[in-house]
Amino acid sequence: MELLLQAVPVKRGLKRHQKSYVATLSFGDIVRLMDDERLYVPNEPDLADFAQRKLNPVRVNTIAKYILDTYKDGSTFFPAICLNIQPDPIYRNGTIVLPYDSTSLRLTDGQHRCCGIRRAIKILQEQGSPELAEVSRLELGALVYAALPLDLERQAFRDQNLLAQRPGKSLAHLFDMRSPEVTIAKELCKRVPQFRSNIETVENGLGKHNPKLMTLSTLVTATQHMYPRLSPKEPLEAKIDWAMTFWAAAASAFPDNPWRVLSKAERKQQREESIVGAAIVFQALGLVGRDLFTEGVPAENLVQWLAHLAEVDWSKEEDFWLQRGVTQVNAKGARIIQNTRTTVDSCYHVLQELLGVTPKEGVLV
């Protein structure tokens, strides 16, 4: 029995033996080849042919869910996987020909995609889904290397994973049309007056030359805190309206109006002197918002609930923040804020006390 792959040759180097091919594999073939151990992931450190990272089951399940959520509307977008094929294949008439029983397709990039595909197919099989055959015919692109030795296979893994850069979180959120918390956050950017021109949607962070007050990734995290475990299918308009009122009320309560459009120099000075623009404050406010929403506080009462924010001394040098673990002292003796969950929780508990928020038992993280 032979394994046949439709493929197009690719010139990878100047020497004749440096051969690669662009091919496709159906989801069904990927599962069959993995089950037959022809498609092989060398991810065990104790093996002599170790050339891949350890498998992350959580990521596999996430990819499987992604496939099941997107295959119907054709919005499943996967980059091509990369395979080292052994033995050196015969290529004729647009087809790679390999003896099936002695073939080894070793992944140098894409083990989580392949394992996620197998998991999705298995779920459809267990459900007895009538769409199993259709999903099995979906295809995944593959860059196929011909008979790389182990040292070059490892080099390929290193180069592919090091040179391919993920987009920053804010930019990834900006392009995300699926996640409900991202949808809410992007609507807030447009609807909350104080957020306009103040949310960084492209850059990873807020450097000294950036005059904006918050990144989109911070607002998305705050929204996740406010509305945990959102379902992509649930209606969002009521939650958007409530969150819009919450953030407008909170923004109006901050002293000295930090939301006004500032110059780069003024914003830099504000960040050096105040914690009001720190990511942990917005995340902590998201947790407070969760408590108030869970308690059923009407939107029209939020201004009253959040009014005490105006009474806070937000100065970074204020000893109160140091005593409560919100700020720390670095090696040079300067007050700093670390964006960690511990610091967020410390700020959250301070805001709880300040605003008199007492959530129902079991709601706190």
Side-chain angles (χ1 to χ4, degrees), residues 288-325:
V288 169
R290 177 201 60 189
D291 294 341
L292 295 174
F293 184 80
T294 303
E295 290 291 329
V297 174
E300 58 267 24
N301 293 351
L302 289 173
V303 170
Q304 179 182 349
W305 273 97
L306 298 170
H308 290 298
L309 292 173
E311 302 169 7
V312 179
D313 183 347
W314 297 94
S315 170
K316 192 180 290 186
E317 296 301 318
E318 172 59 45
D319 288 338
F320 171 78
W321 298 114
L322 181 64
Q323 294 163 3
R324 297 301 299 270

Side-chain angles (χ1 to χ4, degrees), residues 22-54:
V22 175
T24 60
L25 290 165
S26 72
F27 283 16
D29 282 344
I30 287 172
V31 175
R32 176 170 58 87
L33 290 166
M34 292 184 77
D35 289 345
D36 290 349
E37 297 184 347
R38 303 266 69 84
L39 181 57
Y40 172 55
V41 184
N43 60 4
E44 296 295 332
D46 294 335
L47 298 179
D49 60 354
F50 174 56
Q52 186 49 286
R53 64 165 66 89
K54 183 179 180 181

Side-chain angles (χ1 to χ4, degrees), residues 330-348:
N330 67 9
K332 296 181 180 179
R335 301 287 174 93
I336 61 170
I337 307 172
Q338 294 182 321
N339 189 6
T340 67
R341 188 51 194 264
T342 299
T343 311
V344 171
D345 284 343
S346 297
C347 187
Y348 164 52

Side-chain angles (χ1 to χ4, degrees), residues 15-82:
K15 297 179 181 178
R16 184 173 298 178
H17 67 272
Q18 294 171 330
K19 292 178 291 184
S20 298
Y21 305 90
V22 175
T24 60
L25 290 165
S26 72
F27 283 16
D29 282 344
I30 287 172
V31 175
R32 176 170 58 87
L33 290 166
M34 292 184 77
D35 289 345
D36 290 349
E37 297 184 347
R38 303 266 69 84
L39 181 57
Y40 172 55
V41 184
N43 60 4
E44 296 295 332
D46 294 335
L47 298 179
D49 60 354
F50 174 56
Q52 186 49 286
R53 64 165 66 89
K54 183 179 180 181
L55 191 70
N56 184 337
V58 174
R59 191 173 172 198
V60 171
N61 288 331
T62 300
I63 291 174
K65 183 179 184 302
Y66 166 74
I67 294 168
L68 297 175
D69 287 345
T70 60
Y71 73 85
K72 290 184 180 180
D73 64 5
S75 63
T76 306
F77 299 115
F78 277 139
I81 60 174
C82 298

Side-chain angles (χ1 to χ4, degrees), residues 237-299:
E237 193 60 35
K239 288 184 171 63
I240 293 172
D241 288 342
W242 194 93
M244 178 185 68
T245 306
F246 173 90
W247 284 110
S252 298
F254 278 115
D256 301 325
N257 188 18
W259 303 92
R260 68 190 185 280
V261 177
L262 300 175
S263 67
K264 296 175 183 178
E266 289 172 322
R267 188 68 80 191
K268 178 176 178 290
Q269 181 180 0
Q270 181 200 59
R271 292 187 183 124
E272 291 173 350
E273 297 176 353
S274 171
I275 72 167
V276 76
I280 64 148
V281 173
F282 301 121
Q283 294 176 59
L285 280 169
L287 291 167
V288 169
R290 177 201 60 189
D291 294 341
L292 295 174
F293 184 80
T294 303
E295 290 291 329
V297 174

Side-chain angles (χ1 to χ4, degrees), residues 52 113 212:
Q52 186 49 286
R113 272 161 280 169
K212 297 181 180 179

